[in-house]
Amino acid sequence: MNYKNPKLTADGVIIRKGKILLIKRKNEPFKGKWALPGGFVEYGERVEETVIREVYEETGLKTSVKKIFGIYSDPNRDPRGHIVTVVYLLNIKGGELKCDNDASDVKFFDIKDLPELSFDHNIILKDIFRSIE
């Protein structure tokens, strides 16, 4: 049998002093739009390892997992196909903020003044902000 399964990603949420860290996407889909840092889980990799690796590759920040926030699985959330993401809240442990890898820019935005976001990240952030109020 040939099964068609969704792909798995992990996204990281870093909130510092009322601001949230976003990356500007270097590649399609949504090239030039802002997003949470994250990416695809590699075969044999734990999802928690993925989010830490991807956030470091895209932002230069070393992080640790604070807690899992949620799982977003709408089959239409990504134009590349059915992609499920696990969203983690992260703590900064070190590193230097700089864009790299799949990001053309990285910066903290005031949670009350966010740019247009990629994928379903506006839904994810609304859920997060609602939970921390």
Side-chain angles (χ1 to χ4, degrees):
M1 286 219 136
N2 188 10
Y3 296 101
K4 191 171 182 181
N5 298 317
K7 293 185 171 134
L8 183 61
T9 63
D11 290 320
V13 175
I14 299 171
I15 299 173
R16 183 177 71 182
K17 298 178 185 173
K19 296 186 176 194
I20 187 154
L21 185 67
L22 299 174
I23 59 129
K24 185 180 271 189
R25 291 186 52 81
K26 191 187 285 186
N27 304 307
E28 294 293 351
F30 302 108
K31 182 179 179 179
K33 302 284 187 207
W34 293 91
L36 293 167
F40 287 95
V41 177
E42 295 176 359
Y43 190 82
E45 184 177 47
R46 293 174 53 231
V47 182
E48 299 86 350
E49 294 167 342
T50 300
V51 74
I52 290 168
R53 174 182 55 78
E54 286 285 346
V55 168
Y56 179 71
E57 289 175 359
E58 294 178 351
T59 71
L61 295 179
K62 295 178 181 178
T63 59
S64 62
V65 171
K66 184 176 186 178
K67 71 176 187 173
I68 188 172
F69 177 75
I71 299 170
Y72 291 79
S73 61
D74 184 332
N76 299 310
R77 63 178 298 277
D78 190 310
R80 295 171 291 190
H82 189 178
I83 297 175
V84 175
T85 194
V86 181
V87 178
Y88 290 92
L89 301 181
L90 303 175
N91 291 316
I92 298 173
K93 290 175 41 179
E96 181 182 327
L97 189 63
K98 62 182 183 332
C99 61
D100 204 0
N101 199 356
D102 295 333
S104 63
D105 196 3
V106 59
K107 70 185 225 185
F108 282 91
F109 286 88
D110 188 297
I111 62 174
K112 294 180 185 347
D113 188 26
L114 296 175
E116 183 179 342
L117 298 173
S118 309
F119 308 101
D120 60 349
H121 292 184
N122 60 325
I123 294 168
I124 294 170
L125 291 184
K126 282 180 187 173
D127 291 348
I128 288 170
F129 299 151
R130 213 180 351 241
S131 76
I132 62 174
E133 289 180 345

